[in-house]
Amino acid sequence: MQRVFLRLAVILFAGLQLGPGPSRAGAVSVMIFCDGSMAKPTGLTTSTINGLRASGFNTMILFTMSVAANGDFTYNDGVPVCTNGVYSGAANWGALLAQCKAAPSSIKRIEMCIGGWGDQSWVNIKNLIAANGTGANTVLYRNLAALKNALGVDAIDNDDETAYDSASTIKFGQMCAAVGLKSTLCPYTNPSYWQAVKTGLGANCDRIYLQCYDGGKYNDPGQWNGYFGGMKVVPGYWDWERDTTFLTKMQSWSSVGAGGFLWPSCSGCNPPADAGEMLQYAGWILSTFNDLSVTPTVGFSGVTAYQSRILPASTVFTLGNSGDASLNWGLVNTSSWLSVSSSLGTINPAATGTTTISLNAAVATNLAAGTYAATVVFTNKTSGGTVTRNFSLNTAVVNWPVEMTGYNAALLASNTATAGSPGATAFDVPNNIAFYQQGLSGSTRGLPLTGGFSSACDSGTAFQFGPYGAADALMLGYTYAKAGTLTLATPETFNSLAVLAASANGGGQGTFVVNFADGSHSPAFAFNAQDWFYTVTNVAIQGFGRLGLGTSLSIQDNGDANPNMYQTTVNLAALGLTQPVTSITFSNPATAGASQNTAIFAVSGMPGDVPLLAPQGLRALPGTDATVQLAWNATAGATNYNVKRSLVSGGPYQPVGGSPGPSFTATGLANGATYYFVVSAAGTFSESPNSSEASAMPGSYPGWLLNVKPGAYWPMNETAGPVAYDVVAGNNGQYAGGCTFYTGGATGAGFSNPHRAVFFNGSSGYVSVPRLIGDTNFTIVFWVKTTTTGGTPQWYSGKGLVDGEVGGTTNDFGVALVGAKVGFGVGNPDTTITSTKSINNGAWHQVAVTRNSGTGALQIYIDGALDASGTGPTGPRTSPPNLRLGCIQTGSGFLSGSMSDVACFNQLLNANQIGTLYGAASGSFANLSLANQWSGTNLILGWPANARLLEATNVSGPWTTNVSASPLTIQPDQPQKFYRVQK
């Protein structure tokens, strides 16, 4: 790509057929992802990935990777990718890229670009091939293989704008083919070079992306097609600060291109466009290069409850043929919970056909509670072009639409509305603005086609609009009354009620009172009635556009974030309000302005007799002494939770207590025993099934460690990858290749039996975890077993244990195996201290290091005892983007050995705390006690043999160890002291 002031990271491209063929081939669509953060890979957030998957683009090209003079592969600003045949990039990059392609996704292909304006990669490739050849033992070949294996890319895209040496380029392309990679070309000038490369690579070069912007703005795709034996190029254009000529350019190339690509060159864009814009650009390409059109542009969102209720949903899709010849179409339905009325047909020129896609109730209501996604792919079988429609399903709904009367305004226009017959009045009365249903002519947004939707505010509420074009809202304020009542068609008892509302021209919190069949009333509850713009909390649905009423209809697109409607949920059962509900009276916000009004659009509720779902996410954390702390996710409609336990996995379980909220502390347990817990939710008239089981061992090492409040704790007790779970706050890590999961971790009474650990293979295994320490004082504690040795003298020369080394920076740090000992170092220039004790004897050792950011003091503890001290630089250590367990951060120094129970603290643990942790792992589970008895005038103290006696002259300490053996005789004439025991 010719522009250099941006670090662009993905080209995305729409369509399929690329060789010689009909004049209107299926469209290839490509887009570019800005900023280079995909290599870090923090730029690939869940929302970005989902946006890419739903974008309609079918190819993603990562721009750009460089090849150094020594053959190293780096990304954008020199971020390592492959070094000497070993992948050295972010541990979870491959998984994130795979997620981009995971069904349902329009992304089917991912390429890695090499080159760009001013980049010397192809000069370096030429020199490396001249010096070393192209054999499997060369660094280029091994790095290509490592890249393919680690990231799973499908092709290498050639953006040579410097070397233009066809002989070496062809040889490199043949190396790509040998490791399973296709080659693609991205020219903007010098057609003779690209023609020679295409000829030399033959079928392994399956795409040519032609730059038609900036330096290539005068390129004619039709002329370039003549250079490649009839193979059509894929012309590309930019969205330079959202260039409005993009569609015009694509349309001008529709008869000669195999599709189109988007170069998102706007400054600072990351991702290159939001979900709506990506869909728009892909849609322009696909509609331009494909005769098959499909409307509407969106699929529905289905809502069901397990073996219970369903909101019927179906959409009639109209298929059109804009070409001058008949086309055959077909569709692929990827989901059993969708039903399709017709899956193939023929459409004559300028004619249309239809197919209806519906929610399959028999299947959808028998799916486990959760969210599901599906894609229906419409294919122009004549040309190969495709159009996708995405559908979603939420099967975890508990609050269902409640049928009510009393709505006093029609605010939602149907998609058949006209200016003369809008079927709606204004929500924003002074400005004469209403809302509209999806599918209104000329619109791209709108409220759900069927009127039903799953709330974005939680996973358990569904609302139902409508009917469109009729009384569909209760209006309060301005020209309407300040209060109003909605009446239930049938009185019913509810565990919970949910309200959907919004205000115009200001807002706030209104109030509502629930009226019961026995004549009683609830207290006044507040409900969210904020202004429809810019409020980001309690949002149930957003970004659906507005409709200006008047002599003509004015469709307004306010973006993805506005306007909004807001949700309020009240748990009636938890408040003991279990009488049948007859009506609800709503009042406008008290501080409303003169022109402000509020609308209640829908009410949903959880009937009292609806079965409760089992609590989810039960966690059991051991305490230090005979306790286990339980926590779980709240269950909608629950008034109480019943906690049960067993000494045997799978039960039978015995009740041990109840809790009004989603947490419980089990007490009076036996230290050293493993307990198995389940929780059920209780509602007005029912109790849920038990939750999944969780277990914990009170008094164990994890209990003592958690008691010191680490910032993160990775037990490393998984049975398979790729996630290394943090049990403190969910700061999970990622396992890389070369990790083996096995039982046989650090031994001792303080660990469960068998204890799990992870073995690193010494060549590629490691765990990447977030860097949560370094800004202030910190402590790292972990267990390690090895028989190998590391390099010397500095920590970054050794085998990485817990490392944050970033070459050339001053604010890094790490712990490594240096020779046979532990090295702990910080900074550049580096300060490393080394332990006195060797740890490579094949036994498990506890290692703890502390660092004082104010004084620079460094300490190493081995097996609970202070082993080495030193002083390094002061100040924060903030350079590492993450830490690596089992290797040096820079991708070298791999440990051959095992690790477990890695914990990081944003505090300095003292010698007493570290010694206690070691004792908790190796000592007994006896509940600690300090026995005393009198012998004449002397006091005799006794304590367990595996515990330590601590003494102090003040009850608040400091405490020191008394090395005496039990029993100890205390004479009355000795100075006053205080005593306690500790494992």
Side-chain angles (χ1 to χ4, degrees):
M1 304 301 153
Q2 218 218 342
R3 280 193 103 75
V4 297
F5 55 87
L6 294 171
R7 303 183 310 240
L8 300 181
V10 177
I11 303 179
L12 301 164
F13 144 105
L16 297 173
Q17 184 168 338
L18 298 166
S23 62
R24 296 183 67 87
V28 177
S29 73
V30 183
M31 187 170 79
I32 300 185
F33 190 100
C34 293
D35 181 29
S37 58
M38 288 182 64
K40 295 176 185 175
T42 54
L44 279 181
T45 62
T46 298
S47 61
T48 300
I49 289 173
N50 289 339
L52 293 170
R53 294 170 67 200
S55 66
F57 289 102
N58 59 37
T59 300
M60 182 166 77
I61 301 180
L62 309 179
F63 183 91
T64 181
M65 187 175 75
S66 296
V67 178
N70 65 353
D72 285 355
F73 291 178
T74 61
Y75 195 82
N76 282 329
D77 293 335
V79 177
V81 176
C82 293
T83 304
N84 199 27
V86 176
Y87 176 72
S88 53
N92 60 341
W93 196 10
L96 292 172
L97 293 179
Q99 188 178 349
C100 291
K101 294 170 65 176
S105 175
S106 64
I107 302 296
K108 306 300 181 187
R109 172 166 167 152
I110 297 178
E111 304 184 17
M112 178 69 79
C113 182
I114 296 178
W117 181 257
D119 187 87
Q120 296 299 304
S121 292
W122 291 96
V123 174
N124 294 333
I125 290 171
K126 172 185 175 182
N127 295 336
L128 286 164
I129 290 176
N132 305 317
T134 60
N137 62 335
T138 63
V139 66
L140 283 178
Y141 188 103
R142 290 186 290 117
N143 279 344
L144 282 171
L147 181 78
K148 171 69 175 175
N149 292 335
L151 300 187
V153 296
D154 302 290
I156 295 296
D157 179 48
N158 176 349
D159 187 10
D160 182 2
E161 302 187 19
T162 305
Y164 295 124
D165 181 69
S166 60
S168 60
T169 302
I170 292 169
K171 291 179 180 178
F172 186 76
Q174 292 166 344
M175 295 170 71
C176 293
V179 301
L181 293 166
K182 288 289 188 179
S183 291
T184 60
L185 313 180
C186 193
Y188 85 94
T189 190
N190 201 349
S192 61
Y193 163 74
W194 299 104
Q195 184 178 32
V197 172
K198 174 63 182 79
T199 301
L201 292 179
N204 196 57
C205 176
D206 64 348
R207 291 182 180 178
I208 301 170
Y209 310 121
L210 180 66
Q211 300 181 44
C212 296
Y213 49 82
D214 205 30
K217 63 184 177 181
Y218 297 114
N219 283 331
D220 177 4
Q223 180 180 9
W224 278 79
N225 285 342
Y227 300 145
F228 305 113
M231 181 178 184
K232 288 188 174 182
V233 301
V234 179
Y237 197 62
W238 56 18
D239 67 342
W240 174 244
E241 300 300 349
R242 303 297 185 248
D243 192 318
T244 57
T245 64
F246 184 92
L247 177 58
T248 302
K249 290 291 186 181
M250 288 296 150
Q251 290 173 336
S252 71
W253 300 323
S254 62
S255 63
V256 294
F261 75 79
L262 166 65
W263 171 263
S265 52
C266 67
S267 57
C269 295
N270 184 20
D274 66 26
E277 289 171 320
M278 286 194 289
L279 190 64
Q280 181 184 53
Y281 282 115
W284 282 341
I285 296 172
L286 290 165
S287 62
T288 299
F289 290 91
N290 189 5
D291 292 333
L292 177 66
S293 63
V294 180
T295 55
T297 60
V298 295
F300 58 72
S301 298
V303 178
T304 69
Y306 182 61
Q307 295 184 342
S308 179
R309 305 187 180 201
I310 184 170
L311 290 182
S314 65
T315 301
V316 177
F317 287 91
T318 300
L319 286 66
N321 179 1
S322 60
D324 53 8
S326 296
L327 65 80
N328 297 318
W329 68 271
L331 66 77
V332 176
N333 172 21
T334 64
S335 173
S336 61
W337 49 266
L338 292 176
S339 297
V340 177
S341 64
S342 178
S343 59
L344 53 86
T346 299
I347 307 176
N348 292 324
T352 61
T354 63
T355 186
T356 301
I357 299 179
S358 307
L359 193 60
N360 186 329
V363 175
T365 55
N366 282 284
L367 295 172
T371 55
Y372 299 83
T375 299
V376 172
V377 181
F378 297 86
T379 302
N380 181 341
K381 301 175 72 173
T382 303
S383 68
T386 62
V387 178
T388 62
R389 292 293 177 263
N390 296 315
F391 299 79
S392 64
L393 175 63
N394 179 2
T395 64
V397 170
V398 294
N399 289 316
W400 284 87
V402 178
E403 184 180 354
M404 310 193 83
T405 60
Y407 293 114
N408 62 357
L411 308 181
L412 315 178
S414 75
N415 56 18
T416 59
T418 63
S421 180
T425 57
F427 166 63
D428 179 351
V429 180
N431 296 300
N432 205 22
I433 297 174
F435 301 114
Y436 66 92
Q437 180 187 21
Q438 282 179 350
L440 182 64
S441 178
S443 68
T444 58
R445 297 186 183 268
L447 294 169
L449 199 64
T450 62
F453 69 97
S454 177
S455 172
C457 188
D458 60 35
S459 61
T461 299
F463 289 111
Q464 176 70 50
F465 288 119
Y468 292 111
D472 46 35
L474 174 63
M475 283 278 277
L476 308 173
Y478 193 37
T479 58
Y480 294 83
K482 300 294 185 182
T485 298
L486 295 178
T487 302
L488 275 71
T490 303
E492 190 171 4
T493 298
F494 293 96
N495 285 337
S496 57
L497 286 173
V499 176
L500 179 69
S503 296
N505 302 304
Q509 287 193 324
T511 60
F512 70 93
V513 174
V514 181
N515 307 308
F516 299 106
D518 63 2
S520 63
H521 311 279
S522 75
F525 300 115
F527 72 93
N528 296 306
Q530 287 82 9
D531 188 89
W532 52 342
F533 272 68
Y534 306 121
T535 300
V536 297
T537 57
N538 306 304
V539 175
I541 186 170
Q542 66 182 163
F544 41 82
R546 307 187 297 180
L547 183 65
L549 305 175
T551 55
S552 63
L553 296 181
S554 172
I555 297 171
Q556 302 175 15
D557 185 342
N558 311 106
D560 290 338
N562 289 296
N564 302 313
M565 296 181 188
Y566 309 101
Q567 177 177 328
T568 304
T569 302
V570 175
N571 192 333
L572 297 179
L575 298 173
L577 301 174
T578 58
Q579 308 94 315
V581 176
T582 57
S583 62
I584 306 174
T585 300
F586 295 89
S587 297
N588 204 37
T591 57
S595 62
Q596 182 273 345
N597 59 262
T598 294
I600 292 85
F601 294 94
V603 175
S604 293
M606 179 183 184
D609 59 354
V610 169
L612 297 173
L613 297 175
Q616 302 294 309
L618 177 63
R619 289 93 66 196
L621 297 180
T624 57
D625 190 11
T627 63
V628 169
Q629 179 67 48
L630 302 172
W632 55 92
N633 302 332
T635 297
T639 61
N640 192 66
Y641 298 91
N642 300 317
V643 181
K644 310 161 193 179
R645 77 170 185 236
S646 174
L647 287 169
V648 180
S649 178
Y653 304 101
Q654 301 299 320
V656 294
S659 173
S663 64
F664 181 82
T665 300
T667 60
L669 307 176
N671 286 329
T674 299
Y675 291 86
Y676 301 88
F677 296 91
V678 293
V679 179
S680 64
T684 304
F685 302 122
S686 61
E687 181 179 359
S688 77
N690 289 333
S691 68
S692 297
E693 185 181 80
S695 64
M697 179 192 295
S700 59
Y701 178 83
W704 284 95
L705 190 144
L706 291 167
N707 187 57
V708 196
K709 303 190 183 321
Y713 172 32
W714 299 276
M716 301 172 72
N717 58 1
E718 287 76 27
T719 58
V723 180
Y725 289 96
D726 163 39
V727 300
V728 175
N731 292 299
N732 301 330
Q734 293 282 328
Y735 289 104
C739 297
T740 302
F741 305 89
Y742 77 109
T743 56
T747 57
F751 291 105
S752 58
N753 187 23
H755 184 50
R756 302 201 65 86
V758 173
F759 176 77
F760 300 111
N761 66 359
S763 60
S764 60
Y766 66 92
V767 186
S768 179
V769 300
R771 179 192 62 79
L772 303 172
I773 57 175
D775 298 78
T776 58
N777 301 337
F778 67 79
T779 302
I780 306 171
V781 182
F782 58 93
W783 289 79
V784 61
K785 181 175 76 171
T786 185
T787 58
T788 190
T789 57
T792 57
Q794 307 292 3
W795 103 86
Y796 53 78
S797 304
K799 306 291 187 183
L801 297 173
V802 180
D803 188 73
E805 154 72 7
V806 179
T809 64
T810 60
N811 291 331
D812 54 6
F813 61 91
V815 188
L817 184 67
V818 177
K821 302 175 181 180
V822 176
F824 177 32
V826 297
N828 183 16
D830 170 67
T831 298
T832 299
I833 64 170
T834 306
S835 68
T836 301
K837 185 176 182 178
S838 297
I839 65 164
N840 66 341
N841 59 352
W844 280 100
H845 293 282
Q846 184 201 57
V847 176
V849 299
T850 70
R851 193 255 177 180
N852 188 312
S853 66
T855 66
L858 308 174
Q859 293 180 318
I860 299 175
Y861 291 79
I862 307 293
D863 296 334
L866 180 61
D867 184 275
S869 300
T871 303
T874 60
R877 305 287 102 190
T878 55
S879 291
N882 51 34
L883 301 178
R884 289 198 178 185
L885 316 180
C887 85
I888 300 298
Q889 174 77 13
T890 52
S892 60
F894 291 92
L895 174 70
S896 176
S898 305
M899 290 182 68
S900 73
D901 298 276
V902 179
C904 293
F905 301 80
N906 279 300
Q907 58 179 304
L908 293 174
L909 298 192
N910 58 40
N912 188 31
Q913 291 171 310
I914 293 171
T916 297
L917 287 178
Y918 181 70
S922 58
S924 74
F925 282 110
N927 290 324
L928 297 180
S929 63
L930 180 60
N932 65 83
Q933 62 182 15
W934 290 96
S935 176
T937 60
N938 295 330
L939 179 65
I940 310 299
L941 300 181
W943 60 92
N946 60 350
R948 294 188 298 164
L949 179 68
L950 303 180
E951 64 179 39
T953 58
N954 187 291
V955 71
S956 61
W959 295 87
T960 60
T961 299
N962 187 311
V963 296
S964 301
S966 177
L968 174 66
T969 299
I970 306 297
Q971 297 175 351
D973 57 350
Q974 292 178 339
Q976 174 179 287
K977 287 187 179 180
F978 296 85
Y979 295 90
R980 68 182 184 185
V981 292
Q982 183 180 63
K983 288 183 180 178

